[in-house]
């Protein structure tokens, strides 16, 4: 459990790690490369370790030195991803495109749903079929192989019913080694899609239009090794911006790419908190005296990101006035509402819409996290609440945030991990080294 003593002001600068949602798909993308691949700025996350286990199970050699991964997929031992690993990490489904492109066959268990929704993969499957793959789903596993006497997938024109990040990434990776040209229309435009495209281009892939709604890939016979550095995590950055706003603290974040956070920065401005660019890749959060209510509708990029919805809901519980949040991307991503209400928030849910009536104060309480971003929202609420908040369900948090409590402690927050509710945890002192020394000299 995480125990948080609320209402501590934050100050200083926090380092933002590499993007989780780039790292996971780029690790799968390394399967396209028959040589050594170096991937830098990889965050230390449970999900990243699990993806590493999936690659190792496929016969790929993978070593980690600090935040750098050395991957060699020159020999992929087998085309079946193990169920027990896939069931723990949905993103492992990303291996299906590269396996099909490299080996002509892939057997990947269906990732299944998670707390936030059913998470279907029909757009991935239909796109691969359009590229000449025979795809059958039997006993919970997707069996795909290239039809007829073709050795390689065939370029195709594919229209995505919705701008799915995962489907765009699966099909883009598969198309890099296909015969001919593939056009993906209504493609996702998220920065992590662009990061994957840049990684593939660094290996020699021919990709145009990543970051727009139409991506064109001209297949090449083979890719080559590269040394690539992942973009900073915009969702981690957004989470820390909210941490500054909700505690009315000025804090700096680096590295950050501001244009990856346009919608988030615009919403903070509407609420009354400012994000100032201090250097090319460093921003500063300047809170408002009082924060205003606002309405939020989650949309595909460049719209407001669904991955920041829970964090903003925590912030809006303390804004003056009523806010409305519509979650349009996932069908079950409002599960943090019940836990925030336990902390004194006043939120009602109707379908996928949450109505938040601002309250003057949240009060610390024992709460349970249900999914990754809900966990982050509860941490943020705990930082602002009067008294102590204890959060169970930290396995969700560890999947997506590298050392969150260490980074928050570095900013002056008072929180620590305890084994159980009853465990006494001395309130962590965040005394500065000077006072620590003077105390020591007195004793
Ligand atoms: C990626 O998930 C991210 N995960 C999610 O981040 C993020 O919330 C999501 O994109 C949206 O930005 C990774 O990159 C590992 P989608 P993904 O395919 O690819 C429907 C986090 O917290 N859909 O864009 O699964 C789907 O049901 C995670 O870091 C289909 O209908 O998202 C959803 O309603 C959570 N059929 C919508 O599209 C398909 O074949 C968007 O999903 C695929 C998706």
């Amino acid at each position: 459990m995480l125990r948080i003593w609320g209402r501590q002001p934050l100050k200083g600068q926090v380092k933002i790690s590499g993007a989780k949602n780039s790292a996971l798909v780029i690790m799968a993308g390394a399967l396209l490369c028959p040589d050594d691949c170096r991937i830098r700025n990889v965050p230390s996350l449970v999900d990243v370790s699990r993806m590493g286990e999936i690659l190792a199970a496929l016969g790929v050699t993978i070593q980690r030195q600090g935040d750098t991964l050395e991957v060699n997929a020159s020999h992929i031992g087998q085309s079946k991803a193990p169920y027990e690993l896939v069931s723990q990490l949905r993103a492992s489904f990303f291996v299906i495109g590269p396996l099909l492109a490299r080996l002509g066959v892939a057997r990947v268990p269906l990732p299944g749903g998670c707390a936030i929704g059913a998470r279907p993969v029909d757009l991935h499957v239909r796109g691969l079929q359009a590229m000449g793959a025979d795809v059958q789903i039997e006993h919970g596993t997707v069996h795909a192989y290239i039809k007829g006497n073709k050795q390689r997938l065939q370029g195709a024109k594919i229209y995505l019913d919705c701008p799915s990040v995962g489907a765009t990434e699966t099909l883009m990776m598969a198309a890099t080694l296909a015969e001919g040209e593939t056009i993906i229309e209504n493609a996702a435009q998220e920065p992590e899609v662009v990061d994957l495209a840049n990684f593939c281009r660094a290996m020699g892939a021919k990709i145009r239009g990543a970051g727009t709604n139409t991506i064109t890939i001209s297949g090449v016979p083979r890719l080559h090794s590269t040394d690539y550095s992942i973009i900073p995590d915009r969702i981690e950055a957004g989470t820390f911006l909210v941490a500054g706003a909700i505690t009315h603290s000025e804090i700096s974040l680096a590295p950050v790419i501001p244009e990856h956070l346009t919608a988030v920065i615009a919403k903070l401005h509407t609420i009354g908190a400012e994000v100032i660019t201090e250097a090319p890749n460093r921003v500063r959060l300047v809170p408002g005296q009082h924060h205003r209510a606002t309405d939020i509708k989650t949309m595909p990029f460049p719209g407001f990101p669904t991955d920041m919805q829970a964090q903003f809901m925590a912030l809006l519980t303390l804004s003056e006035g009523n806010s409305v949040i519509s979650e349009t991307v996932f069908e079950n991503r409002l599960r943090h509402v019940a836990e925030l209400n336990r902390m004194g928030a006043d939120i009602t849910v109707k379908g996928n819409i949450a109505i938040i009536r601002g309250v003057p104060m949240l009060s610390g309480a024992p709460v349970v996290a249900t999914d990754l971003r809900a966990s982050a929202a509860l941490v943020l609420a705990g930082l602002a609440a009067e008294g102590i908040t204890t959060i169970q369900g930290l396995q969700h948090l560890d999947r997506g945030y590298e050392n969150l409590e260490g980074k928050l402690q570095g900013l002056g927050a008072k929180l620590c991990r305890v084994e159980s509710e009853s465990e006494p945890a001395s309130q962590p002192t965040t005394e500065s080294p000077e006072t620590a020394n003077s105390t020591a000299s007195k004793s």
Side-chain angles (χ1 to χ4, degrees):
M1 307 168 78
L2 206 52
R3 182 172 290 158
I4 304 171
W5 285 262
R7 299 183 65 68
Q8 295 294 326
L10 307 182
K11 65 182 183 315
Q13 174 163 324
V14 62
K15 180 188 178 304
I16 301 301
S17 303
K20 164 178 88 82
N21 291 347
S22 279
L24 294 174
V25 69
I26 284 175
M27 287 170 75
L31 287 168
L32 293 165
C33 179
D35 297 330
D36 286 328
C37 237
R38 178 172 295 138
I39 308 169
R40 299 173 188 276
N41 200 28
V42 179
S44 298
L45 302 171
V46 168
D47 276 6
V48 168
S49 309
R50 285 179 175 154
M51 182 59 96
E53 288 169 33
I54 299 267
L55 295 184
L58 293 170
V60 174
T61 56
I62 178 164
Q63 272 129 20
R64 179 171 201 130
Q65 276 97 25
D67 72 355
T68 300
L69 289 183
E70 306 283 353
V71 184
N72 183 300
S74 52
H75 171 70
I76 301 179
Q78 64 139 311
S79 62
K80 180 163 172 37
Y83 173 72
E84 64 280 0
L85 293 176
V86 171
S87 61
Q88 293 180 49
L89 173 65
R90 297 193 66 268
S92 43
F93 192 72
F94 281 138
V95 302
I96 191 165
L99 284 178
L100 205 46
R102 276 290 300 282
L103 306 179
V105 63
R107 287 171 296 158
V108 185
L110 274 175
C114 70
I116 64 178
R119 312 297 291 275
V121 290
D122 55 309
L123 299 178
H124 303 239
V125 170
R126 292 217 309 262
L128 293 173
Q129 287 169 331
M131 295 173 74
D134 183 299
V135 187
Q136 306 294 333
I137 297 179
E138 289 152 11
H139 313 299
T141 292
V142 180
H143 296 261
Y145 62 92
I146 297 174
K147 275 193 294 198
N149 60 356
K150 296 280 183 188
Q151 293 308 309
R152 294 165 63 193
L153 291 167
Q154 304 300 303
K157 188 165 186 178
I158 299 165
Y159 176 81
L160 294 178
D161 293 351
C162 76
S164 155
V165 171
T168 302
E169 293 169 337
T170 286
L171 300 174
M172 185 163 68
M173 289 190 284
T176 57
L177 296 174
E179 247 169 40
E181 183 173 83
T182 298
I183 299 174
I184 305 173
E185 293 187 317
N186 196 24
Q189 304 177 46
E190 271 71 2
E192 293 76 25
V193 173
V194 178
D195 210 17
L196 172 66
N198 290 336
F199 168 69
C200 292
R201 287 150 52 121
M203 294 193 288
K206 293 189 178 1
I207 300 174
R208 297 192 316 277
T212 74
N213 60 8
T214 305
I215 303 177
T216 304
I217 306 104
S218 305
V220 295
R222 192 177 187 279
L223 297 180
H224 56 70
S225 61
T226 187
D227 181 331
Y228 189 79
S229 189
I230 282 172
I231 55 172
D233 194 314
R234 62 191 168 102
I235 305 301
E236 183 191 21
T239 305
F240 276 102
L241 288 174
V242 173
I246 205 169
T247 58
H248 291 282
S249 311
E250 278 200 34
I251 56 172
S252 291
L253 293 65
V256 167
I257 301 174
E259 49 272 17
H260 289 174
L261 284 160
T262 312
V264 166
I265 291 170
K267 274 298 166 188
L268 285 169
H269 172 72
T270 307
I271 291 169
E274 294 308 330
V275 179
I276 294 157
T277 300
E278 283 187 322
N281 69 351
R282 191 171 77 238
V283 297
R284 182 166 192 75
L285 185 283
V286 180
Q289 191 64 31
H290 300 287
H291 289 148
R292 296 181 287 271
T294 187
D295 295 346
I296 289 177
K297 182 176 181 182
T298 64
M299 295 293 283
F301 196 89
F304 187 90
T306 173
D307 292 351
M308 283 300 304
Q309 178 258 108
Q311 298 91 313
F312 267 73
M313 187 181 291
L315 178 60
L316 290 169
T317 62
L318 292 166
S319 285
E320 288 165 359
N322 295 349
S323 305
V324 178
I325 293 184
S326 314
E327 172 52 64
T328 72
V329 177
F330 288 110
E331 67 267 28
N332 190 25
R333 204 174 197 177
L334 295 173
R335 299 180 61 187
H336 37 285
V337 166
E339 298 306 299
L340 289 171
N341 283 342
R342 283 177 48 73
M343 298 176 71
D346 179 356
I347 311 168
T348 47
V349 173
K350 292 186 178 14
N352 69 341
I353 289 177
I355 297 131
I356 301 116
R357 293 176 190 78
V359 294
M361 178 69 70
L362 292 177
S363 58
V367 290
V368 178
T370 51
D371 58 80
L372 169 57
R373 305 302 174 184
S375 317
L378 294 174
V379 170
L380 296 171
L383 293 175
E386 183 72 45
I388 295 175
T389 300
T390 52
I391 303 174
Q392 291 187 56
L394 299 188
Q395 71 275 17
H396 299 295
L397 207 57
D398 296 340
R399 287 188 44 211
Y401 286 94
E402 183 178 51
N403 187 21
L404 183 63
E405 67 250 35
K407 292 186 179 184
L408 285 170
Q409 284 162 345
L411 289 172
K414 291 194 173 180
L415 73 167
C416 63
R417 279 194 191 217
V418 293
E419 283 311 308
S420 70
E421 186 74 64
S422 55
E423 176 181 323
S426 56
Q427 179 163 330
T429 55
T430 49
E431 54 189 3
S432 57
E434 304 74 52
T435 48
N437 293 340
S438 62
T439 313
S441 58
K442 279 195 200 100
S443 57

